[in-house]
Amino acid sequence: MPYFDAASSLPLHPVARQALLAALDEGWADPSRLHREGRRARLLLDAAREAAAEAVGCRPDELSFASSGTRALHTGIAGALAGRRRTGRHLVVSAVEHSAVLHAARAHEADGGTVEEVPVDRTGRVAADGFGAALRGDTALACLQSANHEVGTEQPVAEVAEVCAAAGVPLLVDAAQSLPWGPVAGDWSLLAASAHKWGGPGGVGLLAVRKGVRFAPPPPVDERESGRSPGFADLPAIVAAAASLRAVRAEAAAEAVRLRALVERIRARVPELVPDVEVVGDPVRRLPHVVTFSCLYVDGEALLHALDRAGFSVSSGSSCTSSTLVPSHVLRAMGVLSEGNIRVSLPPGTAREDVDAFLTVLPEAVRQVRAHLDAPAAAQPREPEETAPEERREPEETEDAGVPSLTVDSLGKRCPVPVIELARVIDRVPVGGTVVLLADDEAARLDVPAWCEMRGHEYLGAEGHTYRVRRRA
């Protein structure tokens, strides 16, 4: 079964497995002790730190191991904010950061600090000057991911780091997605990553803090890992994480070229094979193994399960795949279609035959989901069919300042139903007429404007749960 969710996690790399088994026999002792077994464990820990630091591009004494990538991020943010508390309590983050960063930002805000989110363009990329404009005299820390975890867009870290350095603000980089492919460029101040993203064991994170960065580890603090990760370290897992990072880096350049070609094939073929699809993310400045697209009139959860039944493991940012029933914050910040969102992230070693097989089953999977939802045909909308009142409310014809108008009540209905009902009735008003859609589903704020752009109609805006669309074609 092809596994196409590498951006979430990877199976244990063969080198990681080999190193883990060896370290279980040699690295069980406390590396802080001076006896023979402790010294042996310490040698393993020091070697792992040197290997990981080389991959990160920092000094070994600048790098600490944490219990996860999330813990590394939380510790890095809390420590940098505490270390610069005399400067101020203003935190700057991009709008598409990983939820671990945004959770830390909310906690900082709840504790009396201030947070500013820097917007992104439609590809999910921040502008360096826009990031710089958010920096203030009381800014204690700025956070920017090296590449986005949902759409693969690479961020201008080097340029932003230069802007931050000029303002005297440290920059923390979340390098979880990009570190397996190469070191992060630029004069960053702090960096965090997670081993399970490159085939290391889960439960190992990296936190690098450059010399000269003011940093106060959050309490309680003990003597291990420079006070940044208290408790007894999982030394075998750390050894395996460092060994696998070195191994994947040795293969990264060649594998990136190969996977990028496969991703280009997916990006080109999906819109040809499936009508009404939006491929999202930067087409050029992106990770080599990630491609994300959204399908109009498709329930994301249903499509994900259909692909799973066909033998393909993928991920989704659609609201209907989330317990919160809202689209991912990344798709919202980008302002792109969220219906039927699918992220394909290819693991190292993916065969072209598996990609071709995916492209073969995808059209039928989308067709089945659309048919189940009784979605309009791709070429043009159709008249609504008679159904029970509790399933579909009849549109109400009104007159809006002399312009023919139709009101569709989709309150209480979830993505993608409101947009499907909008599509069914748009041809019931003349060109120039309007449709008023009532929808309280959060996805409508993304999907109604996206539908208008894809179908050539004019989006007139929203007020509360009311969306107005003018027919143009």
Side-chain angles (χ1 to χ4, degrees), residues 80-427:
L81 289 172
R84 285 174 48 82
R85 59 187 177 275
R86 292 183 180 179
T87 299
R89 305 202 65 200
H90 183 235
L91 172 65
V92 175
V93 301
S94 87
V96 293
E97 293 301 305
H98 191 276
S99 59
V101 171
L102 299 184
H103 291 160
R106 298 290 83 81
H108 175 63
E109 205 168 30
D111 192 40
T114 58
V115 177
E116 185 166 352
E117 288 190 4
V118 180
V120 297
D121 62 19
R122 197 169 175 83
T123 70
R125 185 177 169 92
V126 303
D129 54 355
F131 209 95
L135 304 177
R136 310 185 319 205
D138 63 339
T139 302
L141 178 67
C143 299
L144 180 64
Q145 59 192 191
S146 54
N148 186 259
H149 50 290
E150 290 194 29
V151 300
T153 297
E154 292 180 336
Q155 299 293 353
V157 173
E159 294 93 326
V160 171
E162 186 175 341
V163 170
C164 288
V169 176
L171 176 66
L172 183 149
V173 177
D174 174 9
Q177 292 297 333
S178 72
L179 193 61
W181 301 104
V184 177
D187 190 20
W188 48 265
S189 303
L190 304 96
L191 180 144
S194 185
H196 70 94
K197 301 292 186 181
W198 63 71
V204 179
L206 306 182
L207 173 61
V209 181
R210 297 281 199 194
K211 293 296 182 183
V213 175
R214 292 187 176 276
F215 192 88
V221 175
D222 69 16
E223 69 280 1
R224 300 177 191 273
E225 295 300 305
S226 302
R228 297 170 191 158
S229 185
F232 194 89
D234 187 349
L235 183 53
I238 288 173
V239 170
S244 56
L245 179 56
R246 173 178 283 179
V248 298
R249 274 292 188 81
E251 307 160 352
E255 193 64 12
V257 172
R258 200 180 66 82
L259 292 183
R260 191 176 292 275
L262 295 179
V263 164
E264 288 292 351
R265 178 166 174 75
I266 297 173
R267 290 182 65 91
R269 291 290 290 151
V270 167
E272 296 172 354
L273 296 169
V274 181
D276 291 326
V277 165
E278 181 179 11
V279 181
V280 301
D282 196 297
V284 178
R285 296 170 295 190
R286 56 175 173 77
L287 293 169
H289 67 305
V290 176
V291 56
T292 304
F293 54 88
S294 299
C295 306
L296 197 62
Y297 310 140
V298 170
D299 177 285
E301 184 176 14
L303 180 55
L304 190 149
H305 288 313
L307 291 171
D308 186 56
R309 288 192 297 272
F312 294 90
S313 301
V314 297
S315 182
S316 173
S318 291
S319 59
C320 39
T321 64
S322 167
S323 60
T324 62
L325 293 179
V326 297
S328 84
H329 67 279
V330 172
L331 299 179
R332 278 188 287 138
M334 294 168 62
V336 297
L337 182 69
S338 73
E339 291 181 18
N341 178 261
I342 293 294
R343 180 189 68 185
V344 175
S345 48
L346 306 178
T350 298
R352 177 177 174 129
E353 291 76 15
D354 288 339
V355 169
D356 288 342
F358 173 78
L359 293 172
T360 299
V361 305
L362 177 66
E364 178 61 18
V366 173
R367 188 201 66 76
Q368 289 178 0
V369 174
R370 285 174 173 168
H372 179 73
L373 292 168
D374 193 23
Q380 65 180 50
R382 67 184 180 196
E383 292 291 332
E385 300 173 359
E386 293 295 328
T387 58
E390 65 272 15
E391 295 179 0
R392 185 179 302 164
R393 303 183 183 97
E394 279 298 311
E396 177 185 347
E397 297 187 13
T398 60
E399 196 80 10
D400 185 10
V403 179
S405 180
L406 199 69
T407 298
V408 180
D409 187 352
S410 290
L411 295 172
K413 299 178 181 179
R414 297 302 176 192
C415 167
V417 174
V419 176
I420 289 176
E421 294 190 339
L422 169 62
R424 284 196 181 103
V425 303
I426 191 68
D427 61 344

Side-chain angles (χ1 to χ4, degrees), residues 9-31:
S9 189
L10 281 172
L12 205 61
H13 192 282
V15 170
R17 184 181 300 278
Q18 182 181 10
L20 179 65
L21 292 175
L24 285 172
D25 292 331
E26 298 293 330
W28 51 268
D30 187 343

